[in-house]
Amino acid sequence: MRIDAHHHFWHYVAAEYDWMSDAMSAIQRDFLPEDLQAELSDVGIDGTVVVQARQTETETRWLLSLAERYTVIKGVVGWVDLRAPGLRKRLEGYRGETKLKGFRHVLEGESTPGYMLDPAFVAGLRTLNELGYSYDILIRSNQLPEAIELVQRLPAMRLIVDHLAKPDIQHRAWDDWCDGLTQLASFANVHCKVSGMVTEADWSAWRAEDFEPYLEHVFRVFGPQRILFGSDWPVCRLAGQYGAVYRLVQDFVRRRYPNDEAAVFGDNAAAFYRL
Amino acid sequence: MQYRTLGHTGLSVSTLAYGASPLGGVFGNINEAEGIRTVHAALDQGINLIDCSPYYGLTQAETVLGKALKSVPRDRYLLSTKAGRYGSEARDFDMSETRIRRSLDESLERLGVEYVDLFFLHDIEFVDLGIVLNESLPCLEQLKREGRIRYYGVTGYPLKPFREVVRQFDIDCLLTYCRYALHDTSLTSLLPELDDKGVGVINASPTAMGLLTERGAPDWHPCSDALKARARKAVAYCREQGVDITQLAMQFATQHSSIPTTLVGTANPANIDKNIRWMEKPIDQALVAEVQALLDGTDSVWSSGLAVNND
């Protein structure tokens, strides 16, 4: 099965998506399963993992209801307040939701230093792990040192870094990202999503070569068995269409890791998210 | 480390190759133990091609390299050496069949190996091309048939002799230097033909023998004073942009898809890591264009060898 391990759906309401700046008008509208289906058919993807974009359990419930209706959705990464007391009880409310695979918090939006190392947050992650859920680490590259400390505290948990930890590709940022990712990859339980790259590059003028050093490095340190393709649709539409984003990664994998296409575009996602 | 195919030899070579000339002290005296550690560091980092010559340090580089390779299984690296050049004067060149055969024996002895993967005629522009075409290259062809060497080719600076050799012989590989770097990219005029014929290209001296470095060109550098002056400007400009020009020079040289491997010479293990790291970083194409403009001039190519062999 070919899997897109990272995308979103939303009913657009300005107040609930305040992270969308004026420059993001291209995605300030509804994006629903019907919109995605054609894109998936074009490239031959037959399953997806939909990821939270708002920090509410209402959204998680909504995504689960979509997953029930649309079989193409194989997994949901939801949101829950990991620091709230009674987390375990809250999570028990999802018992029976077999498509709920993991959780994510928009850590990149947390400006308080040390947020992710807060004992309550770490305890929340441990609870997720005990209940068999994975966790998606959404950070910017300047948060890598904190994330490295975090993963040290979660040795056995299924963890995945979203969007290669968002290096500033447009300005060719390198050293800190390169070293940070190398360290993260040294933990065998940490995986990485090759997703969200085009929106870190120059939205209107990126070229495939711009991503080459970043892809090389991610594949070098994580290896093709711990890397999952994700489109980050519809956010990717700010900088490129679904097909372009897909081919960017596919071209690289076919050229550099020709034996691992099935792994990167499906098998790794199925194993990581237990689809 | 990335690997690319070296022409029709089919050999998979690392994008960075190790140039062993510094082991001969060509660019300053070296500490032998440090030199040996550098060879091991290069192999540890995935570099799988090592290039040497009896000319480097007048056989010293081969001797030191031989010591370094003693503890390394032969199938872990591809080894290249040369014949025909043994010094700087006209009389130090000998590309006769007798000398080439003896040279190979001596090199294998110093290197402590049974065979070399690549064997080159060293700096063919210094000798009468008639000898190269009628005696030296047939000799290399014969050595290949005898299984003494796996593949053969020529090295040099001017492009003219290369064109003639490629027209007349199915050489396996070609080692060029200073013709595809920030200051001069004239090698590109030859690349389509080399691609067509499956000749594997090895490019050396991405910094143009020190020209494109903070330290600058050594006294013996053959280029014009005008180019040296332009290079100093380019070095200063990169410094103002917060970039070491050597990094840019390395990145630029290693990016061409028709040039599978680039030689980097050093006798310092830390430089191996540094060069690999530089090569892996994203390249600033805008800065490349600016630096190329600063270096641009009609005198970016110098003469080397016999006048008749120059471009």
Side-chain angles (χ1 to χ4, degrees):
Chain A
M1 193 162 48
R2 290 173 82 82
I3 301 284
D4 174 350
H6 195 109
H7 71 88
H8 309 282
F9 288 130
W10 57 65
H11 277 299
Y12 180 67
V13 182
E16 291 195 58
Y17 294 90
D18 53 358
W19 53 269
M20 290 186 199
S21 66
D22 292 345
M24 300 184 179
S25 58
I27 57 170
Q28 289 169 351
R29 65 167 180 83
D30 292 357
F31 286 97
L32 298 166
E34 291 79 7
D35 302 303
L36 181 59
Q37 192 53 61
E39 310 278 18
L40 299 179
S41 308
D42 281 353
V43 298
I45 284 204
D46 33 32
T48 76
V49 176
V50 62
V51 180
Q52 63 84 218
R54 286 179 295 159
Q55 320 243 61
T56 70
E57 283 191 61
T58 310
E59 187 202 37
T60 305
R61 294 274 178 203
W62 176 64
L63 293 175
L64 287 167
S65 73
L66 289 179
E68 211 167 293
R69 274 192 286 146
Y70 297 92
T71 54
V72 70
I73 304 172
K74 308 296 181 198
V76 172
V77 172
W79 182 88
V80 65
D81 186 351
L82 290 162
R83 301 194 299 177
L87 173 67
R88 190 177 291 268
K89 202 161 179 59
R90 198 169 274 272
L91 288 170
E92 275 168 15
Y94 293 99
R95 200 180 289 161
E97 292 286 2
T98 54
K99 284 196 173 171
L100 183 58
K101 304 299 182 181
F103 288 89
R104 182 176 90 153
H105 182 81
V106 184
L107 284 174
E108 70 163 329
E110 297 295 346
S111 51
T112 322
Y115 181 97
M116 68 182 94
L117 300 175
D118 177 287
F121 187 79
V122 177
L125 291 175
R126 291 205 173 107
T127 303
L128 289 184
N129 187 39
E130 282 161 26
L131 297 176
Y133 293 113
S134 64
Y135 180 73
D136 271 56
I137 305 173
L138 171 61
I139 50 165
R140 305 205 62 85
S141 54
N142 61 4
Q143 294 171 299
L144 277 164
E146 259 186 59
I148 290 157
E149 273 198 61
L150 177 66
V151 302
Q152 280 170 352
R153 297 176 194 188
L154 303 163
M157 187 168 184
R158 277 177 297 128
L159 299 169
I160 188 154
V161 183
D162 287 355
H163 312 326
L164 332 66
K166 295 194 147 191
D168 183 353
I169 295 170
Q170 181 175 4
H171 301 103
R172 298 179 308 280
W174 189 256
D175 290 338
D176 293 344
W177 174 82
C178 171
D179 294 342
L181 216 69
T182 302
Q183 283 190 59
L184 263 192
S186 71
F187 298 92
N189 57 321
V190 181
H191 294 61
C192 186
K193 275 182 190 166
V194 169
S195 55
M197 291 194 303
V198 288
T199 38
E200 296 306 316
D202 184 329
W203 289 2
S204 56
W206 59 263
R207 302 161 311 154
E209 305 94 89
D210 299 342
F211 307 103
E212 193 78 9
Y214 297 94
L215 286 167
E216 278 291 345
H217 186 63
V218 172
F219 275 79
R220 184 163 48 234
V221 295
F222 280 95
Q225 300 302 317
R226 283 195 284 153
I227 291 176
L228 283 61
F229 164 74
S231 64
D232 198 27
W233 180 93
V235 181
C236 69
R237 291 171 60 103
L238 295 167
Q241 295 304 311
Y242 193 102
V245 167
Y246 175 86
R247 279 188 296 276
L248 195 62
V249 181
Q250 189 190 44
D251 287 350
F252 176 83
V253 173
R254 288 194 171 167
R255 191 158 32 86
R256 299 283 296 123
Y257 296 87
N259 301 322
D260 298 301
E261 190 178 337
V264 174
F265 286 91
D267 296 349
N268 296 346
F272 179 83
Y273 284 118
R274 300 177 177 170
L275 302 180
Chain B
M1 183 62 66
Q2 280 195 45
Y3 300 85
R4 301 183 190 147
T5 305
L6 185 68
H8 66 198
T9 70
L11 297 174
S12 179
V13 292
S14 48
T15 316
L16 271 195
Y18 179 65
S21 62
L23 299 183
V26 182
F27 295 89
N29 284 326
I30 66 140
N31 170 329
E32 187 175 297
E34 187 89 339
I36 289 171
R37 267 201 300 281
T38 310
V39 175
H40 295 161
L43 293 169
D44 288 349
Q45 296 287 342
I47 287 176
N48 71 349
L49 172 62
I50 301 173
D51 175 70
C52 203
S53 166
Y55 169 52
Y56 301 146
L58 308 178
T59 72
Q60 188 198 333
E62 282 190 339
T63 303
V64 175
L65 181 58
K67 290 181 189 174
L69 294 178
K70 214 170 236 168
S71 57
V72 185
R74 183 63 185 88
D75 60 359
R76 273 202 56 203
Y77 58 87
L78 300 166
L79 187 57
S80 151
T81 196
K82 314 189 185 78
R85 175 169 197 170
Y86 307 96
S88 310
E89 307 297 324
R91 62 165 189 275
D92 299 322
F93 287 84
D94 185 348
M95 299 202 183
S96 66
E97 176 170 5
T98 333
R99 185 68 187 99
I100 290 170
R101 284 183 172 273
R102 199 173 78 234
S103 190
L104 176 62
D105 290 339
E106 291 165 357
S107 288
L108 294 178
E109 175 76 27
R110 280 188 292 268
L111 292 163
V113 294
E114 305 271 311
Y115 68 94
V116 288
D117 301 276
L118 310 178
F119 195 48
F120 289 97
L121 293 176
H122 199 168
D123 293 339
I124 54 172
E125 70 269 26
F126 284 87
V127 300
D128 175 357
L129 218 49
I131 295 175
V132 169
L133 296 168
N134 296 313
E135 183 170 348
S136 326
L137 285 168
C139 168
L140 296 194
E141 182 67 54
Q142 185 56 34
L143 285 169
K144 183 179 170 181
R145 255 183 255 129
E146 292 167 17
R148 308 283 318 278
I149 58 176
R150 290 178 72 194
Y151 301 103
Y152 73 90
V154 295
T155 86
Y157 175 74
L159 303 178
K160 191 173 155 190
F162 288 162
R163 292 186 209 280
E164 198 50 37
V165 164
V166 170
R167 202 170 63 80
Q168 297 199 30
F169 276 84
D170 283 330
I171 59 168
D172 303 303
C173 42
L174 186 149
L175 199 159
T176 168
Y177 67 100
C178 296
R179 300 307 289 261
Y180 187 79
L182 289 169
H183 75 292
D184 174 28
T185 57
S186 45
L187 180 68
T188 51
S189 66
L190 196 59
L191 288 175
E193 198 179 340
L194 298 175
D195 261 350
D196 274 357
K197 300 206 160 166
V199 179
V201 178
I202 299 174
N203 186 26
S205 213
T207 66
M209 301 189 292
L211 190 67
L212 307 171
T213 61
E214 280 288 336
R215 189 195 279 185
D219 293 339
W220 51 260
H221 201 291
C223 81
S224 68
D225 289 341
L227 177 56
K228 282 180 190 163
R230 293 200 297 276
R232 279 192 293 272
K233 275 191 194 151
V235 170
Y237 184 74
C238 285
R239 194 187 310 127
E240 285 162 26
Q241 310 302 310
V243 176
D244 184 333
I245 196 168
T246 309
Q247 172 188 322
L248 197 71
M250 277 297 309
Q251 292 180 306
F252 178 76
T254 53
Q255 291 227 330
H256 201 294
S257 57
S258 295
I259 304 177
T261 186
T262 301
L263 289 181
V264 181
T266 174
N268 177 351
N271 283 341
I272 296 284
D273 289 349
K274 195 161 79 177
N275 278 292
I276 291 173
R277 201 172 163 88
W278 277 342
M279 182 182 66
E280 289 169 353
K281 270 189 188 196
I283 184 168
D284 185 342
Q285 295 290 2
L287 184 58
V288 167
E290 287 167 342
V291 168
Q292 284 186 310
L294 285 172
L295 290 166
D296 188 42
T298 52
D299 59 349
S300 289
V301 170
W302 49 87
S303 69
S304 173
L306 308 182
V308 65
N309 286 335
N310 275 270
D311 297 316

